[in-house]
Amino acid sequence: MITRGYEAWVRDFEDERERRAAAPEPAWERGARVHPAIWRSVRRFQVGESGDGANLIAKADRAGDAPYARAVRLFVAEEQNHARLLGLLLGAGGVPPLTSHWSDTVFVRLRRLLGLRLELLVLMVAEVVALRCYYRALRDGTDDALTTRVAGAILADEERHVPFHCERLREAFARMPRPVGRLVLVGWRALLLSAALVVAGDHGSALRGFGLGRVRFVRDVVASAGPVVRSILDRAV
């Protein structure tokens, strides 16, 4: 697999920032209407998108790769924009945001205990769940135009975030024995399964509203792990 280099990622993030700044805001004033179970689900995901990213940025700075550190800052800014969009979507539906949720608290504390490589692996759990299943289901599973637009915008960003993190992880795994890397990724798959089960249990009513049952959601998340693992283990440059 050919790597892009982090200068290219910086340009990619900056181009997206400029495109986003030039694009009109969604018509928040028109309001949004979805099932109450979906609002409860969106509130929980909004909390998860609301971190300041300071811990990840500090670890990227310590890695000593200036273009990568710059790209991480731009990635964090996109995640913060997701929180902003979801917060405005909740406001358009007359739904107050949550200030915290236990699942996000556990997830953040786990990430902060780890070094950059392992924090990225934990972060990738959230990215894979969001990309492969949740935001796609939110985009396609409701008939509210504002919700569809917001979910589609976030999904488009997540489709860029996964290969960005995979590139850094691929470099890290290339420096360890391949059997060790495979063992670490077995653990990552187990963590991904655990996260999928938690989301399926916590968001089951919303998933049914999307036409996506709990079992199918978990199955789709687990199936999505394969391409990610292959990308990380591909050492060819």
Side-chain angles (χ1 to χ4, degrees):
M1 180 175 291
I2 298 174
T3 59
R4 300 183 55 186
Y6 295 110
E7 294 86 353
W9 280 111
V10 169
R11 290 193 298 272
D12 180 87
F13 281 116
E14 289 178 339
D15 288 347
E16 178 58 25
R17 182 182 61 188
E18 292 177 7
R19 186 207 63 77
R20 186 167 61 245
E25 280 283 295
W28 306 112
E29 68 281 1
R30 295 183 180 178
R33 293 176 178 82
V34 298
H35 191 277
I38 295 176
W39 283 134
R40 290 193 294 271
S41 178
V42 171
R43 291 176 83 203
R44 295 167 191 168
F45 265 81
Q46 197 268 344
V47 170
E49 299 276 14
S50 298
D52 62 10
N55 195 59
L56 178 60
I57 289 171
K59 290 175 183 176
D61 286 343
R62 289 196 294 271
D65 184 335
Y68 176 67
R70 172 62 177 162
V72 165
R73 283 175 166 79
L74 292 165
F75 157 74
V76 169
E78 286 194 359
E79 292 290 301
Q80 292 171 337
N81 185 58
H82 297 172
R84 182 187 74 87
L85 290 173
L86 292 174
L88 289 169
L89 179 63
L90 289 169
V95 179
L98 290 174
T99 57
S100 65
H101 190 261
W102 70 266
S103 59
D104 181 62
T105 300
V106 170
F107 186 76
V108 170
R109 287 180 179 175
L110 176 61
R111 284 173 48 193
R112 288 178 177 175
L113 291 172
L114 306 172
L116 177 60
R117 178 175 59 201
L118 292 179
E119 176 163 357
L120 289 178
L121 283 170
V122 176
L123 179 60
M124 279 287 284
V125 168
E127 296 286 315
V128 168
V129 170
L131 169 60
R132 304 300 182 190
C133 298
Y134 186 78
Y135 287 120
R136 181 172 288 114
L138 182 62
R139 182 195 64 185
D140 298 340
T142 69
D143 56 5
D144 179 76
L146 187 59
T147 301
T148 296
R149 177 172 175 182
V150 168
I154 295 174
L155 180 62
D157 286 343
E158 299 292 1
E159 287 174 340
R160 294 168 32 256
H161 293 174
V162 168
F164 169 61
H165 296 311
C166 279
E167 183 161 331
R168 189 69 181 187
L169 287 168
R170 187 161 53 248
E171 294 174 359
F173 275 70
R175 294 191 291 270
M176 68 174 67
R178 198 171 185 89
V180 175
R182 289 187 178 276
L183 184 61
V184 170
L185 288 171
V186 168
W188 179 79
R189 284 179 183 264
L191 182 61
L192 180 65
L193 173 60
S194 299
L197 290 170
V198 169
V199 172
D202 205 28
H203 299 256
S205 297
L207 295 174
R208 285 194 299 272
F210 299 148
L212 184 68
R214 286 186 173 98
V215 173
R216 181 182 167 193
F217 175 82
V218 172
R219 186 172 63 243
D220 287 352
V221 170
V222 171
S224 71
V228 173
V229 169
R230 288 192 293 273
S231 177
I232 292 171
L233 289 177
D234 188 346
R235 301 185 182 194
V237 295

